[in-house]
Amino acid sequence: MALRQAETAVEQFRQNIGLVPQLQNFYESGCDEWVGDDKESGAMYIGRTYIGYLKCLKAVATLSNADVKKIIKIERLIDEDDAKRAADAGLEVNKGSAAKFSHGEVLRMLNSKKRNELFDLALAGADASSPIFAGAVHECTTRLVKGSELVAAGEKPGDDNPLFDAAYSGHTRGIAPRTMVHFIISHYLTRTFQARYDGDRKLGELAFDKDAMHGLLSVGIRILVARGQCPPEIVEMWNRTRAEGGLQWHNDKYDPNNKQDPKQHFYNKAFLKKKKEGKK
């Protein structure tokens, strides 16, 4: 992504989030003061982070049909392990997502052509002249604004509150600016899919779903971690709890002393790069 293209897209987005209280500083001061530092401008940081998520999405977009079958099996094993770990901890199963479709179900709905399109849509999402960009910005900012309004009205955000089915709330929880960048970009990317398939007879419900497509980023991150190719900051942001300054999406839901993603080892077994024969 060229810097000029990133700056244009960031500026266009900035002009659309004036009604989100938690992003007022970004709106008023610009991205340099918001997330820039002495090493890179705010636009460079946002652009670099976007590219990092593109890599995660590409890992999913380029999956073979055999790999999809492998992931569906992995996710079934993860669900079984999750239920056991919850029971051992005396807690209810915590999905950590409001998605109405599992990772496996989403992958079953997308053939190889549709999976490849995920990356193309994400690229279009960085082009301020694209209708995909316009649609994704509108839907993403609408959901951010709605979440802010609901929280301000005293509504408790949660997967069991249907008022938040079409609203984001993570940005209302006092997260740091750079963490906010990861929060917004990762969710924004799911809205590029919605910009293409909203209202579609087969994929419309999936496109509208709050977290279903976001779950594919989890899959992509875990594949890249297994391959040793995932941007470290993305891994850290997803693994850390909110109290530690993270997003709390890949944290251990049952053991607060475990700082690693408890689901990662399932992906490691399937996608870890094998050492060449004769080498130790």
Side-chain angles (χ1 to χ4, degrees), residues 211-233:
D211 283 338
M213 298 304 295
H214 195 263
L216 290 189
L217 284 173
S218 284
V219 171
I221 288 169
R222 287 173 175 138
I223 290 172
L224 291 188
V225 169
R227 293 173 176 167
Q229 298 171 348
C230 194
E233 188 174 5

Side-chain angles (χ1 to χ4, degrees), residues 102-176:
S102 69
H103 300 345
E105 288 171 329
V106 175
L107 288 170
R108 286 190 191 97
M109 296 173 73
L110 303 177
N111 58 29
S112 59
K113 182 178 179 180
K114 292 289 191 299
R115 290 196 301 274
N116 271 283
E117 190 182 29
L118 292 174
F119 188 68
D120 295 333
L121 292 172
L123 288 177
D127 180 359
S129 66
S130 167
I132 296 298
F133 174 86
V137 167
H138 171 75
E139 187 60 32
C140 185
T141 55
T142 297
R143 289 172 183 246
L144 289 168
V145 169
K146 186 174 182 181
S148 295
E149 292 175 344
L150 287 170
V151 170
E155 291 291 339
K156 184 178 180 180
D159 296 346
D160 57 347
N161 188 341
L163 292 176
F164 286 88
D165 283 353
Y168 295 139
S169 62
H171 64 291
T172 68
R173 300 179 186 183
I175 57 179

Side-chain angles (χ1 to χ4, degrees), residues 44-195:
M44 286 177 67
Y45 176 76
I46 293 171
R48 178 168 61 81
T49 303
Y50 196 92
I51 289 172
Y53 281 97
L54 285 180
K55 292 177 181 178
C56 300
L57 201 53
K58 189 172 184 178
V60 176
T62 56
L63 287 171
S64 67
N65 290 332
D67 283 335
V68 168
K69 290 180 180 178
K70 189 187 299 183
I71 290 170
I72 289 171
K73 181 179 180 180
I74 290 171
E75 288 295 327
R76 186 166 58 247
L77 292 173
I78 285 175
D79 286 344
E80 292 171 358
D81 181 68
D82 206 46
K84 181 180 183 302
R85 294 180 70 251
D88 290 346
L91 300 169
E92 292 185 6
V93 171
N94 184 343
K95 286 176 57 181
S97 169
K100 293 179 173 59
F101 301 85
S102 69
H103 300 345
E105 288 171 329
V106 175
L107 288 170
R108 286 190 191 97
M109 296 173 73
L110 303 177
N111 58 29
S112 59
K113 182 178 179 180
K114 292 289 191 299
R115 290 196 301 274
N116 271 283
E117 190 182 29
L118 292 174
F119 188 68
D120 295 333
L121 292 172
L123 288 177
D127 180 359
S129 66
S130 167
I132 296 298
F133 174 86
V137 167
H138 171 75
E139 187 60 32
C140 185
T141 55
T142 297
R143 289 172 183 246
L144 289 168
V145 169
K146 186 174 182 181
S148 295
E149 292 175 344
L150 287 170
V151 170
E155 291 291 339
K156 184 178 180 180
D159 296 346
D160 57 347
N161 188 341
L163 292 176
F164 286 88
D165 283 353
Y168 295 139
S169 62
H171 64 291
T172 68
R173 300 179 186 183
I175 57 179
R178 290 202 168 195
T179 311
M180 186 80 80
V181 169
H182 286 256
F183 175 84
I184 293 174
I185 286 177
S186 62
H187 282 96
Y188 170 79
L189 283 170
T190 72
R191 308 281 58 99
T192 64
F193 185 81
Q194 183 180 1

